[in-house]
Amino acid sequence: MTEPSDLKDSFNGALGLITALPHAAELGLEVLEAETDHAVMRAPYDPRLVGDPETGVIHGGLITTLLDTCCGLAAMLSRTRPASAATLDLRIDYMRPATPGREVVARARCHRATRSVAFVQATAYHPEAEDKPIATATAAFILEGAAP
């Protein structure tokens, strides 16, 4: 049985790993929610990250990074003790471009975790339009240093 202190340690350890990532800091990625097996993160709009200067649409690489990082956090939170998580497989389906000038949010949930692999699904969207996904992701992560 998972004790509340174990969950707190898992959260703090996973959050510490995410906030220590230099690329996450540079991109302004922020953790909004982190609970057992799920996470929500945001990426603010930044003109430096525009992929198409004519339209102002954010580069797909930012969406990919946001989804991958959020999925990794959800995978890390699938354990009672912090585990490092490395992306084993990541599939992203882009459904529409992000609206210029608006932040993007990702919500990820680990739906199954074995001793060494976590399986995660995620969606990227604008905060007021969660029902209109920008992209979805399906991912698998190798978990190291974890206890089930």
Side-chain angles (χ1 to χ4, degrees):
M1 179 172 184
T2 303
E3 297 295 323
S5 62
D6 290 337
L7 292 177
K8 183 178 179 187
D9 290 344
S10 180
F11 168 81
N12 290 334
L15 188 58
L17 288 171
I18 294 300
T19 57
L21 295 172
H23 75 277
E26 181 63 28
L27 295 172
L29 301 185
E30 185 180 348
V31 177
L32 301 179
E33 291 178 35
E35 297 178 18
T36 304
D37 79 9
H38 102 270
V40 179
M41 294 181 67
R42 77 179 275 277
Y45 182 82
D46 185 335
R48 298 177 305 144
L49 304 173
V50 166
D52 183 349
E54 288 186 25
T55 64
V57 171
I58 207 80
H59 192 280
L62 175 66
I63 306 297
T64 297
T65 301
L66 175 64
L67 285 166
D68 184 37
T69 306
C70 192
C71 284
L73 179 56
M76 286 187 270
L77 292 170
S78 70
R79 298 296 181 198
T80 57
R81 284 186 286 170
S84 62
T87 308
L88 178 63
D89 184 53
L90 177 66
R91 177 195 165 102
I92 299 190
D93 292 314
Y94 288 92
M95 300 182 184
R96 63 186 183 94
T99 303
R102 293 173 52 203
E103 70 182 5
V104 177
V105 173
R107 178 178 303 277
R109 178 164 305 280
C110 178
H111 57 89
R112 174 148 165 62
T114 68
R115 286 185 196 203
S116 58
V117 180
F119 300 92
V120 184
Q121 293 179 323
T123 304
Y125 54 90
H126 294 298
E128 64 286 343
E130 190 169 354
D131 61 332
K132 296 178 182 172
I134 295 165
T136 59
T138 303
F141 288 83
I142 296 284
L143 299 173
E144 295 185 88

